[in-house]
Amino acid sequence: MSDHALRLLREQPHLAELAAFPFNFDLARADHGEAVRLASGGPLEAVAGDDTGGTYFVCGDGSVLYADSEGSAGIIGNSVDEALEVLVGLPGWHDYLGLAPADGEEKIRAAVAETEEEIREYHGIDDERTELRAGLGLPERSPVELIGLLHAALLRTEPDFLLLNAEEGGAHDLLDRHPRPPLWEAVLARGRTDLTLLREGSAWDEVAGDRARRALALRAAQFDRREGDLPLLRHLLRHEAEASMTDELRLAAVLVGLHGHAEDLPLLYEVRETGFDTWCGLGGMPEPGADPAELRSWARGLDDSLFGTDPADEPLFTWTGLAHEQGLVALARAALIRRLDDIDFRAYRDAQDSKAIERRDASQLSPLVHEFEELGDTFQALRAQRMYVPLQTRAWDRVSALLRLARLEREEGRFGAAIRTLTSLRDTLAEPDGGAGIGDSGSDNSLGHWQRTNLGAYIVEEHYAVARTAATDTALADEVRAVTVAAGELLARLSGTARANVERHLAGTTDTHTDTYTDTHTDIHTDTGANPDADLSAEPTPPQPSAG
């Protein structure tokens, strides 16, 4: 993208003065006043500002992102040259953010004329516009053309140019309010194309053999159901069974079952018997030989409770997961950040009402942490986990949440914060009732045997991991020594087998870490496959399959 005009402004002070006044693109105002960054992690350079506190940034591909002082941002040009065409040709461009080419030439010209007449009451713009266009080599475009450029640029803002507060992580609002297609529409586009191919009798093996394409085709079939789809649904079901228990496998079974053909019962039964997870996930299915009405009733019950025919009713995580599988990472991340911002806003709004905080539904925070980690966005995962920790009332859950928080802080290089989090974790372990009383009634003895569980092992391993990685920060020397001492004391408190497992793990790796754990103990997995609340005072047993 061209930056010819920007070079000229930097080289010729007179042109720079014209750009600053009356067109409000001032090279001397390039300090935005607060740290910001793109959610994608891409480069961002502040090059100018205006007299309202707004800032113009150049992105990695040359696009110009404008961020105002009120927390909104949007792309206004594909290059600095194009952005300046808009700013010079439409000096009242802030008033046109709601305009689009579809509004028609008459409305656009009337709006521009009205604004420019108001500007001329205070200072000139016509001779200045002619001079600056000539000096920068900018073409003369009509207001209708310029509104088209601005409108197209604004629609490109999200997801690739989502602007964040660099410290807190919240996203800026969109500069405009033009409607965007819902997430599911963008995600389903490929699935709808593949479903058409399947219905035409082509690409059956190509679609069915590709996990991401197969899942999307099944989702497309969920929202566009046709009587003639049964053969292709059977084909997709057989292939999806190879992936073990997934939401799409259950969906495929439901879509087949809704047709109510008795001859499909053996296939469905075979799929259900694929493994323990599928046996649990497809529970309640009629046995072969059952009446077709039973099959249809079973499928309809699952359909009503889990699926349906409106894509807008699907949980956000359905679409972000499918977007990620397609490689649409920026799209998934933007949707997840917006959802986290909504939760954060409600938390801020309710901050003065302690009862509201207790009532707050935290059910989406842990999945958000998981989804951000899947996308490799530890920064946002950490932000969500910080919100999640204070909502845990059971001692076991608080310790698990603090443990995960410490790991995320460590992975983000926030070693001081990780050390403080581990201190809070040890304080909770030391409380005789696990801190009962924060929203609980009665004593909380959920941590009564933590020393014999995988949770205890994870705690010790994370202490050593933080001590090792934080050792590079000489300013934390005293804190690192304290964490190392605490790790040794905790290790000594573990049961014999748990301690031996940790020591063996520490001896076998040069980068101590806890492989994977989440807030709920039923979701914790390690390389040993044991549950976190398993009693490690006895010899460990082989891992059992999850019930999904």
Side-chain angles (χ1 to χ4, degrees):
M1 295 296 180
S2 171
D3 63 351
H4 173 72
L6 182 60
R7 289 200 303 272
L8 289 176
L9 291 179
R10 287 171 169 170
E11 294 169 358
Q12 300 186 36
H14 174 62
L15 293 179
E17 290 173 5
L18 273 177
F21 184 82
F23 300 106
N24 225 354
F25 185 86
D26 191 345
L27 299 182
R29 294 179 181 267
D31 182 7
H32 187 56
E34 67 173 8
V36 293
R37 68 178 183 86
L38 293 177
S40 66
L44 195 67
E45 178 191 4
V47 295
D50 62 23
D51 59 9
T52 68
T55 308
Y56 299 94
F57 297 90
V58 176
C59 305
D61 70 342
S63 297
V64 175
L65 180 73
Y66 175 78
D68 66 21
S69 59
E70 303 299 319
S72 299
I75 295 293
I76 62 168
N78 293 333
S79 65
V80 176
D81 290 12
E82 185 177 295
L84 282 167
E85 283 188 55
V86 171
L87 300 183
V88 175
L90 300 172
W93 69 273
H94 288 277
D95 295 334
Y96 314 142
L97 293 173
L99 287 176
D103 291 315
E105 181 174 352
E106 182 178 353
K107 180 177 180 179
I108 290 172
R109 288 188 178 278
V112 172
E114 180 181 358
T115 303
E116 293 197 353
E117 282 303 313
E118 293 176 357
I119 294 174
R120 290 187 185 99
E121 292 180 6
Y122 299 96
H123 55 76
I125 55 173
D126 298 304
D127 292 342
E128 292 83 354
R129 177 156 49 199
T130 299
E131 183 179 359
L132 189 55
R133 275 176 170 165
L136 298 179
L138 301 178
E140 183 175 347
R141 298 184 190 270
S142 72
V144 177
E145 289 181 281
L146 293 172
I147 289 295
L149 291 176
L150 177 60
H151 179 70
L154 288 167
L155 292 181
R156 291 199 307 112
T157 303
E158 198 165 309
D160 293 322
F161 303 99
L162 184 63
L163 190 67
L164 307 179
N165 179 290
E167 294 298 322
E168 298 175 0
H172 283 55
D173 293 330
L174 289 171
L175 195 61
D176 67 282
R177 293 297 180 266
H178 294 298
R180 266 73 168 177
L183 174 63
W184 59 262
E185 190 170 301
V187 175
L188 269 186
R190 179 65 182 274
R192 287 169 166 166
T193 300
D194 280 342
L195 182 59
T196 299
L197 292 175
L198 292 170
R199 286 170 173 166
E200 292 171 350
S202 59
W204 273 39
D205 290 336
E206 290 87 341
V207 174
D210 184 303
R211 160 62 191 154
R213 293 180 68 181
R214 184 174 67 241
L216 285 171
L218 282 166
R219 289 294 176 175
Q222 175 187 349
F223 306 114
D224 180 13
R225 305 181 183 191
R226 300 186 187 178
E227 187 64 30
D229 285 347
L230 184 55
L232 68 88
L233 291 172
R234 290 167 176 159
H235 187 65
L236 295 174
L237 172 62
R238 290 188 180 96
H239 280 77
E240 188 64 22
E242 298 173 3
S244 190
M245 192 61 232
T246 63
D247 287 339
E248 284 70 39
L249 178 65
R250 187 182 285 111
L251 171 61
V254 165
L255 293 176
V256 169
L258 285 172
H259 286 266
H261 289 272
E263 59 265 33
D264 287 321
L265 281 167
L267 169 61
L268 291 167
Y269 182 79
E270 178 186 343
V271 169
R272 189 190 72 176
E273 297 300 307
T274 300
F276 182 75
D277 288 349
T278 53
W279 186 86
C280 294
L282 298 175
M285 179 188 296
E287 301 287 332
D291 188 280
E294 291 184 48
L295 173 60
R296 192 178 292 110
S297 176
W298 170 81
R300 190 178 297 117
L302 283 180
D303 190 30
D304 291 344
S305 61
L306 298 177
F307 300 110
T309 59
D310 188 348
D313 291 338
E314 283 290 323
L316 170 69
F317 301 119
T318 295
W319 302 121
T320 55
L322 291 170
H324 186 199
E325 284 192 31
Q326 290 185 78
L328 303 175
V329 173
L331 193 65
R333 177 171 50 225
L336 292 168
I337 290 173
R338 292 295 187 193
R339 177 59 57 85
L340 182 57
D341 283 351
D342 288 343
I343 297 173
D344 200 0
F345 174 74
R346 289 196 299 273
Y348 174 79
R349 182 189 60 196
D350 296 340
Q352 295 179 347
D353 183 353
S354 61
K355 291 184 179 179
I357 294 175
E358 292 176 7
R359 293 192 304 265
R360 194 183 313 144
D361 181 10
S363 62
Q364 290 195 12
L365 284 172
S366 185
L368 278 168
V369 175
H370 173 75
E371 291 296 316
F372 281 125
E373 288 200 88
E374 287 292 301
L375 294 176
D377 195 335
T378 309
F379 178 79
Q380 293 293 342
L382 175 56
R383 179 182 165 214
Q385 186 67 11
R386 282 175 172 163
M387 296 171 61
Y388 181 78
V389 168
L391 304 179
Q392 305 314 300
T393 57
R394 183 170 172 261
W396 178 282
D397 297 333
R398 284 201 302 282
V399 167
S400 297
L402 288 166
L403 182 59
R404 191 183 205 181
L405 178 61
R407 173 175 62 82
L408 291 169
E409 289 169 335
R410 169 172 59 83
E411 292 175 354
E412 272 289 290
R414 305 186 182 201
F415 303 133
I419 289 171
R420 290 190 294 273
T421 296
L422 290 179
T423 300
S424 297
L425 187 157
R426 294 195 303 276
D427 290 342
T428 303
L429 289 178
E431 294 171 359
D433 61 354
I438 308 177
D440 286 338
S441 59
S443 179
D444 179 355
N445 61 358
S446 58
L447 288 172
H449 303 287
W450 67 267
Q451 301 92 333
R452 299 204 302 267
T453 68
N454 275 344
L455 177 61
Y458 296 160
I459 291 170
V460 174
E461 289 176 6
E462 187 58 38
H463 274 72
Y464 280 117
V466 169
R468 175 173 289 122
T469 53
T472 59
D473 188 340
T474 56
L476 295 174
D478 291 341
E479 289 86 348
V480 168
R481 280 192 290 271
V483 168
T484 304
V485 170
E489 293 173 347
L490 291 170
L491 179 62
R493 296 176 62 185
L494 295 183
S495 69
T497 302
R499 184 167 59 252
N501 287 344
V502 172
E503 290 172 342
R504 184 163 54 249
H505 188 189
L506 294 175
T509 179
T510 57
D511 182 19
T512 304
H513 65 283
T514 304
D515 297 278
T516 306
Y517 44 74
T518 62
D519 294 292
T520 53
H521 66 274
T522 54
D523 289 331
I524 296 180
H525 303 281
T526 67
D527 50 359
T528 64
N531 288 327
D533 52 353
D535 190 340
L536 294 184
S537 59
E539 287 301 313
T541 57
Q544 300 299 312
S546 168

